[in-house]
Amino acid sequence: MDPPPRPRPHRVAVLLLLLLLLASSPAARAWKKDEFRNCNQTPFCKRARTRAPHSLDAPLSLDAASLAVATDGSLTASLSHPSRLRPLLLRLSALPPHALRLQIDEDYSSNTPPHRRFQVPDVLLPDVEARTLHLPQPKTSAAGVSTFALSSDVDVVVKHDPFELTVRRAGSGDPVLSFNSHGLFDFEPLQESKQEGETWEEQFRSHTDTRPRGPQSITFDVSFYGADFVYGLPEHGSTSLALRPTRGPGVEESEPYRLFNLDVFEYLHESPFGLYGSIPFMIAHGDGPSSGFFWLNAAEMQIDVLAPGWDGASSTENGRIDTLWMTEAGVVDAFFFVGSEPKDVIKQYISVTGTPSMPQQFAVAYHQCRWNYRDEEDVAGVDSGFDEHDIPYDVLWLDIEHTDGKRYFTWDHSAFPNPEVMQGKIADKGRKMVTIVDPHIKRDSSFHLHEEATAKGYYVKDATGKDFDGWCWPGASSYPDMLNPEIREWWADKFSYENYKGSTPTLYIWNDMNEPSVFNGPEVTMPRDAVHYGDVEHRELHNAYGYYFHMATADGLLKRGEGKDRPFVLSRAFFAGSQRYGAIWTGDNSADWDHLKSSIPMVLTLGLTGMTFSGADIGGFFGNPEPDLLVRWYQVGAFYPFFRGHAHHDTKRREPWLFGERRTALMREAIHMRYSLLPYYYTLFREASVTGVPVMRPLWLEFPDDKETYNNGEAFMVGPSLLAQGIYEEGQKSVSVYLPGEELWYDLRNGSPYKGCVSHKLEVSEDSIPSFQRAGAIVPRKDRFRRSSTQMVNDPYTLVIALNSSSAAEGELYVDDGKSYDYQQGAFIHRRFVFADNKLTSMNIAPKNLGNKKFSTECVIERIIILGVSSGSKKAIVEPGNHEVDIELGPISLRSGSSSVAPTVRKPNVRVVDDWTIRIA
């Protein structure tokens, strides 16, 4: 609806209360399809989809005479057509090992419009340009085709008229990726003014988008060759890991995948509709080389995955997937990635957008949240409830009701009169707290933050130049212009202990509603004609607003800790590069089985596109989960990289001990399992922070040649060593689990072996979900359960060795102080464990010369469990020292009732920091 007229002062309080009650009502905010635009209601999308291949009236051609190698090593050229208002400037550059960057913008030198197109800043790593390779002069044929080498085994072919670009294998000439091979590249020029009779305004429901700068959309097609499936483009709900076709023969509902950050309450579990974040990155995988395409553009985007025969052709090249990319504004700044396997493509994407930040140890453990824990007494009761029921947790969260009237950086002093004391009591058990800080600032003359932002001119402006005034949780609200670096710096300062009264070093932050959500805005977001720093329209940067807000908040915690304490900031909105600033979650899901099932493809897709630190609300945010669903969600969620229980304020309380002793025991066991695996998870987060390879992975990321894994969205890998599959149906009695590879897999509960490359029909057990350790892997654990991960720091380790057909296995362990940045200067332990020839060896694999700081620990290995070996050996020899230790049958886990089934080396007590060898006698 349109913003209401300004009420008279004596009616403000009543109207505000009514509006807030309506806005927070589940019925009011639940999914309503007609409140959001579809493609036919979005003119740029509708126009682009109606075009047939090679049907443009003014196809762009490359001016061969303009093709040149610039001083920075890039190739530049001009693209034009006689009917265009101004030509386009093209730039091609290369990044190692096989990445091609394509940039296209208007040439403003001959005809300058009042505004220039927006290029998204501060997303790419600052050294991307410095890493650009020097391209050779292309070879141009008489037929108007230019060719140059991208690397020793990848070429780039540029067709001049009409313009087309192909990335191909150098030896065979087989294409891998192509741009505009269907002639759909269209780049609407910026206009100086309307033409006679032309209308720029757009209407949606009661909202008018003035569009003062006119149409400026961009459309093009990208084809992936040798591909069975394409993946990526978060965020949308889906039970399919692969992106389903959205247009063409056999497609029933024809809507593109929409990338437009929106506050969608109780979203659909199966829809191409856009949700809270947008990452315009697609990965293709199949028989050919793996490939990827990333478009750095923060405007609304719609992407079609086209079914074979979409273009009317009677046949389609085998293994080619065509896609159509459409956006409302911006420029072409696109990257083509080629790799021998999918991990290579992910690493190249990460090389331009940045590796995920290394989290603190506590953040990898379990989080307990609710909208809202009422007061300090409630917080204390929940905290003690976990202790009374022997359930560990690390972080307790407070939602918006903890504030003074939705004024962020404040406390409701009637409910939380002593916030520092409250945090101190939680911290005494090694635990932390999180409070919420959203971007909407209450428009209240008595609120210092609003008065300061107003005085400094720090708010986003509306189309008339006034401070934008929208409605959110506080009522009338304005929004800091986070595109401006100065304002981000100002915002970061608000997290100091001096500015955020009542905060302590153990308090961390949650950014919600940062799409940004505006209750009375079009599609519950900020109007597109709002204006940001640098005269940039909101339409041009919308999908990156939450990214900049997340960045500023993380920088604030970094400043608060004087650069020594790793921030923890959870964000709902995200964009490419958000992985550098913290975690995200999948938003306002529902307490039903379908949402449990869709959470797996959603989290896997986030990991493939850089956002490895992600998870879904355990139990579903909205609604009351039946107890069995809640148990199953804990059993699956214990494997999410980000593990948090959360619920809406209208739901019944659902702390894990409220559902009877048996279900409490099952949820306790799931949480205990996560805590036992924390050393493994932390090691995987270290890998992600270096390479970008996600913690939670699709099966095909580890088994890229196994076609059975390509569209398996129900099972998943945790790192290279563990595989799990949830139970996604109520009352399910059996489940089929496909185990890839030629080697065995060992049941995590009892060590039973299962063959690889086979689908196994398994009986469903209430006490766990199917989960396995891969033969050939060594997994580190800590099996003594404490109140929090902080209290486990000095506990001994267990190594679980699963031998392969060669009686060998290997694994890694990474350890640092769990909180500071000292690891960047060498203060960490990184060990590789190798079992071969009946001998387990620990070796140091930490790089040398990282810095002069050191980290050490007295932690030892207290148990070594060996799966896949005969139980005949009774002794092991530890070197150095040449002393004997016993081998006995022991349980796989220390859970009550576990049987002694696996040969176990007891108390070798070797330090994890040392080199040593343990030989089975």
Side-chain angles (χ1 to χ4, degrees):
M1 60 183 178
D2 284 327
R6 281 285 179 210
R8 291 191 294 272
H10 68 279
R11 295 183 180 177
V12 168
V14 174
L15 181 60
L16 178 57
L17 178 61
L18 177 62
L19 182 67
L20 288 176
L21 289 171
L22 288 173
S24 61
S25 162
R29 298 196 62 225
W31 167 260
K32 294 181 180 179
K33 185 176 182 179
D34 61 352
E35 291 186 356
F36 301 95
R37 299 205 303 183
N38 59 35
C39 182
N40 282 335
Q41 296 168 317
T42 307
F44 79 86
C45 183
K46 184 177 181 179
R47 289 196 303 272
R49 278 186 129 200
T50 59
R51 299 185 188 113
H54 306 289
S55 65
L56 288 171
D57 294 333
L60 290 158
S61 61
L62 184 145
D63 179 4
S66 69
L67 188 62
V69 178
T71 55
D72 63 2
S74 63
L75 285 177
T76 60
S78 177
L79 299 176
S80 63
H81 186 276
S83 66
R84 284 193 65 86
L85 182 63
R86 64 183 71 85
L88 302 178
L89 292 179
L90 173 146
R91 180 177 183 258
L92 290 170
S93 54
L95 289 164
H98 309 294
L100 176 71
R101 184 180 186 183
L102 169 66
Q103 294 168 277
I104 303 176
D105 195 0
E106 298 194 57
D107 183 351
Y108 305 106
S109 61
S110 59
N111 184 300
T112 305
H115 307 278
R116 295 195 174 196
R117 289 176 175 267
F118 177 62
Q119 300 184 33
V120 185
D122 304 320
V123 169
L124 301 181
L125 293 178
D127 68 342
V128 165
E129 285 293 340
R131 288 188 278 122
T132 297
L133 302 175
H134 198 286
L135 290 174
Q137 183 68 38
K139 299 176 182 178
T140 301
S141 72
V145 176
S146 298
T147 306
F148 62 89
L150 183 63
S151 66
S152 60
D153 49 2
V154 177
D155 285 345
V156 177
V157 179
V158 179
K159 182 182 176 183
H160 296 184
D161 189 14
F163 169 68
E164 180 183 345
L165 184 149
T166 302
V167 180
R168 70 180 189 185
R169 296 187 192 185
S172 65
D174 293 336
V176 180
L177 291 150
S178 67
F179 177 96
N180 199 37
S181 59
H182 293 278
L184 292 170
F185 178 34
D186 186 50
F187 200 112
E188 289 185 316
L190 289 172
Q191 301 179 47
E192 295 184 27
S193 60
K194 297 179 185 178
Q195 304 298 313
E196 185 176 351
E198 187 178 15
T199 300
W200 286 356
E201 293 82 5
E202 290 181 0
Q203 300 286 333
F204 178 68
R205 293 169 65 89
S206 61
H207 298 278
T208 299
D209 177 3
T210 61
R211 289 214 309 164
R213 302 173 192 182
Q216 49 187 300
S217 70
I218 303 172
T219 304
F220 52 75
D221 58 275
V222 175
S223 295
F224 301 84
Y225 299 81
D228 289 2
F229 295 100
V230 288
Y231 313 86
L233 303 183
E235 186 177 36
H236 58 275
S238 180
T239 56
S240 172
L241 176 59
L243 294 169
R244 296 188 177 105
T246 58
R247 200 173 114 208
V251 177
E252 295 180 4
E253 295 187 21
S254 182
E255 277 293 314
Y257 291 100
R258 190 185 189 196
L259 296 184
F260 191 65
N261 293 6
L262 290 169
D263 176 5
V264 185
F265 190 70
E266 198 180 0
Y267 57 83
L268 300 178
H269 76 278
E270 194 77 76
S271 172
F273 189 83
L275 296 178
Y276 312 94
S278 300
I279 299 180
F281 176 42
M282 185 181 285
I283 300 175
H285 182 59
D287 288 334
S290 297
S291 60
F293 179 78
F294 166 52
W295 187 3
L296 177 56
N297 188 307
E300 179 182 358
M301 200 176 291
Q302 306 259 9
I303 300 100
D304 269 322
V305 177
L306 302 164
W310 69 275
D311 55 356
S314 58
S315 63
T316 299
E317 293 177 51
N318 187 36
R320 192 190 80 209
I321 297 179
D322 300 325
T323 59
L324 181 66
W325 298 66
M326 305 160 276
T327 193
E328 184 180 13
V331 299
V332 175
D333 192 354
F335 293 80
F336 302 80
F337 305 115
V338 180
S340 59
E341 63 174 16
K343 288 181 182 178
D344 296 335
V345 174
I346 293 171
K347 290 175 182 178
Q348 289 182 68
Y349 168 74
I350 289 296
S351 75
V352 299
T353 61
T355 55
S357 59
M358 183 66 187
Q360 291 201 41
Q361 175 80 56
F362 80 82
V364 184
Y366 178 63
H367 302 245
Q368 182 66 32
C369 184
R370 180 176 177 82
W371 178 20
N372 204 86
Y373 288 120
R374 297 182 301 270
D375 49 32
E376 291 180 0
E377 182 180 2
D378 196 8
V379 166
V382 172
D383 179 65
S384 62
F386 277 90
D387 296 338
E388 291 165 9
H389 294 89
D390 190 28
I391 302 174
Y393 89 99
D394 268 64
V395 193
L396 192 66
W397 295 53
L398 297 179
D399 211 318
I400 54 178
E401 311 304 335
H402 84 277
T403 63
D404 177 12
K406 313 301 189 299
R407 299 170 181 87
Y408 300 107
F409 304 102
T410 69
W411 301 83
D412 177 349
H413 286 293
S414 62
F416 299 95
N418 302 294
E420 292 171 271
V421 174
M422 174 185 66
Q423 293 164 60
K425 291 178 180 178
I426 298 292
D428 286 344
K429 301 175 183 178
R431 293 167 176 158
K432 313 291 190 292
M433 293 192 72
V434 165
T435 53
I436 195 167
V437 177
D438 292 349
H440 44 264
I441 296 178
K442 185 180 180 71
R443 293 184 61 83
D444 179 350
S445 60
S446 66
F447 184 26
H448 67 90
L449 192 63
H450 167 64
E451 288 298 282
E452 185 179 350
T454 301
K456 291 178 177 289
Y458 278 177
Y459 285 137
V460 177
K461 309 303 178 186
D462 64 21
T464 70
K466 298 178 181 178
D467 287 350
F468 173 72
D469 184 348
W471 289 86
C472 207
W473 296 126
S477 304
S478 290
Y479 297 72
D481 185 358
M482 291 299 174
L483 180 62
N484 188 338
E486 177 185 322
I487 297 174
R488 294 201 298 265
E489 187 77 11
W490 169 79
W491 184 259
D493 287 338
K494 300 307 169 188
F495 293 93
S496 70
Y497 303 122
E498 179 183 0
N499 287 324
Y500 191 176
K501 304 294 186 184
S503 65
T504 71
T506 58
L507 183 70
Y508 295 88
I509 301 298
W510 172 18
N511 290 160
D512 197 3
M513 315 296 285
N514 54 334
E515 292 76 25
S517 177
V518 181
F519 290 162
N520 64 331
E523 301 190 273
V524 200
T525 193
M526 188 173 285
R528 297 168 193 246
D529 55 7
V531 180
H532 293 258
Y533 170 72
D535 201 28
V536 175
E537 280 195 300
H538 186 72
R539 80 181 73 251
E540 300 174 275
L541 66 82
H542 171 79
N543 286 343
Y545 181 87
Y547 164 82
Y548 294 121
F549 188 72
H550 195 188
M551 175 198 296
T553 302
D555 286 347
L557 293 190
L558 192 62
K559 291 178 69 174
R560 182 190 78 175
E562 299 178 341
K564 300 174 183 178
D565 187 59
R566 297 177 220 165
F568 173 75
V569 182
L570 180 76
S571 174
R572 188 169 72 177
F574 58 87
F575 188 63
S578 288
Q579 66 268 14
R580 306 202 299 268
Y581 302 107
I584 62 104
W585 89 108
T586 62
D588 297 345
N589 58 354
S590 298
D592 60 53
W593 292 91
D594 287 335
H595 273 258
L596 169 60
K597 185 176 183 179
S598 69
S599 73
I600 300 303
M602 291 179 75
V603 173
L604 290 174
T605 297
L606 288 164
L608 289 173
T609 54
M611 294 303 309
T612 190
F613 201 4
S614 64
D617 285 342
I618 305 299
F621 173 70
F622 181 76
N624 295 304
E626 54 196 79
D628 289 345
L629 171 60
L630 185 61
V631 168
R632 291 304 189 194
W633 215 316
Y634 268 99
Q635 290 170 344
V636 171
F639 289 101
Y640 294 156
F642 176 60
F643 183 26
R644 181 184 75 154
H646 185 38
H648 188 276
H649 65 65
D650 284 343
T651 65
K652 298 175 183 177
R653 294 293 284 258
R654 61 168 83 149
E655 285 75 33
W657 54 86
L658 297 178
F659 298 88
E661 289 186 13
R662 177 56 183 161
R663 293 190 177 99
T664 296
L666 294 174
M667 288 184 271
R668 178 194 300 118
E669 175 63 24
I671 296 172
H672 275 177
M673 183 213 61
R674 172 56 168 254
Y675 274 75
S676 73
L677 289 172
L678 283 178
Y680 180 63
Y681 270 82
Y682 199 65
T683 300
L684 294 175
F685 271 101
R686 166 63 176 182
E687 179 189 7
S689 74
V690 174
T691 68
V693 175
V695 171
M696 184 169 155
R697 309 170 183 177
L699 271 58
W700 54 261
L701 206 60
E702 290 299 322
F703 299 91
D705 297 327
D706 190 337
K707 287 182 175 290
E708 292 295 320
T709 68
Y710 287 2
N711 196 22
N712 187 334
E714 296 188 1
F716 54 90
M717 300 289 296
V718 177
S721 305
L722 301 182
L723 182 152
Q725 181 169 319
I727 302 301
Y728 307 118
E729 296 178 15
E730 183 179 7
Q732 194 169 351
K733 302 299 183 184
S734 64
V735 60
S736 178
V737 179
Y738 178 73
L739 299 176
E742 300 295 334
E743 297 287 350
L744 293 174
W745 294 81
Y746 295 91
D747 190 300
L748 285 188
R749 293 180 306 152
N750 55 35
S752 297
Y754 291 84
K755 290 182 178 180
C757 210
V758 174
S759 289
H760 298 270
K761 185 176 181 180
L762 305 175
E763 290 187 8
V764 169
S765 166
E766 70 167 358
D767 60 353
S768 66
I769 61 173
S771 48
F772 306 87
Q773 182 169 333
R774 182 180 182 177
I778 299 177
V779 172
R781 299 191 325 212
K782 283 194 173 185
D783 288 346
R784 297 186 184 181
F785 300 118
R786 310 291 188 182
R787 291 179 172 181
S788 65
S789 67
T790 306
Q791 296 185 347
M792 298 167 63
V793 166
N794 296 318
D795 285 348
Y797 289 87
T798 293
L799 297 181
V800 182
I801 302 174
L803 298 182
N804 61 17
S805 56
S806 301
S807 297
E810 65 177 59
E812 295 182 11
L813 173 66
Y814 173 85
V815 189
D816 61 24
D817 66 13
K819 55 188 178 181
S820 78
Y821 286 99
D822 287 355
Y823 71 92
Q824 294 179 343
Q825 299 176 52
F828 63 87
I829 298 164
H830 198 178
R831 311 295 300 184
R832 174 170 291 138
F833 305 114
V834 177
F835 189 96
D837 300 323
N838 246 22
K839 182 173 60 178
L840 176 64
T841 302
S842 174
M843 61 191 77
N844 178 33
I845 58 171
K848 297 179 180 179
N849 304 320
L850 277 182
N852 55 10
K853 291 195 174 182
K854 303 295 180 185
F855 174 78
S856 189
T857 175
E858 295 301 314
C859 288
V860 299
I861 309 292
E862 72 168 348
R863 290 199 309 153
I864 301 172
I865 300 169
I866 308 176
L867 304 175
V869 67
S870 64
S871 57
S873 300
K874 301 297 183 183
K875 298 290 182 181
I877 308 299
V878 179
E879 298 286 358
N882 193 34
H883 67 275
E884 286 189 350
V885 291
D886 294 332
I887 299 178
E888 300 175 354
L889 284 181
I892 301 299
S893 70
L894 297 183
R895 59 188 293 182
S896 60
S898 296
S899 301
S900 296
V901 296
T904 302
V905 181
R906 296 186 65 251
K907 298 184 178 179
N909 292 335
V910 287
R911 298 200 315 162
V912 295
V913 72
D914 293 334
D915 291 343
W916 44 259
T917 297
I918 298 175
R919 179 171 53 84
I920 307 300

